[in-house]
Each structure stands twice: as C-alpha cells, then as structure tokens.
Amino acid sequence: MVHLVTYTAAITIFSALMLLTVDRAIYKSSGWVREQKYASALGWSCAGVSLLFIIWRLILL
C-alpha cells in the first residue's frame, strides 16, 4: 500500500509539472485564455495533492 502511494505521488507530480509547463505554454501561445487558466488550476491542484501524498508518506516512515 505504501509503495502505491509513492508511485501515485510521483505520477501526480509529473502530471502537474507537464500541465504547468507544457500545456500552459501551448495554450498561452494559442491565445486560449480559458484553457490556460484551467490548466494552471488543475496543475496546481495536482501539485497540492502530490505534496499531501509525499507528506503522508514521510509521516509513515
């Protein structure tokens, strides 16, 4: 179970970084303001969830 949480946190932080870097840049260059805002909000929320997973994992050590 603990390894599952660790892998989930790694996948979620990777997804958040992709949303915050690649997707936001694509939407910004295309002029899609609404999609850029959604990608930013989803990226930061994924980063927050992965941070909670990482903190929970460190507490279990």
Side-chain angles (χ1 to χ4, degrees), residues 6-58:
T6 305
Y7 294 137
T8 304
I11 290 170
T12 308
I13 195 72
F14 179 73
S15 175
L17 291 175
M18 288 294 115
L19 278 168
L20 289 173
T21 58
V22 176
D23 288 349
R24 274 187 63 208
I26 290 171
Y27 294 145
K28 187 175 185 177
S29 68
S30 298
W32 295 354
V33 177
R34 187 179 66 203
E35 285 81 3
Q36 179 190 1
K37 288 181 184 178
Y38 288 150
S40 180
L42 187 61
W44 285 114
S45 63
C46 283
V49 168
S50 66
L51 181 65
L52 288 175
F53 282 154
I54 291 169
I55 289 171
W56 183 65
R57 174 69 172 113
L58 289 174

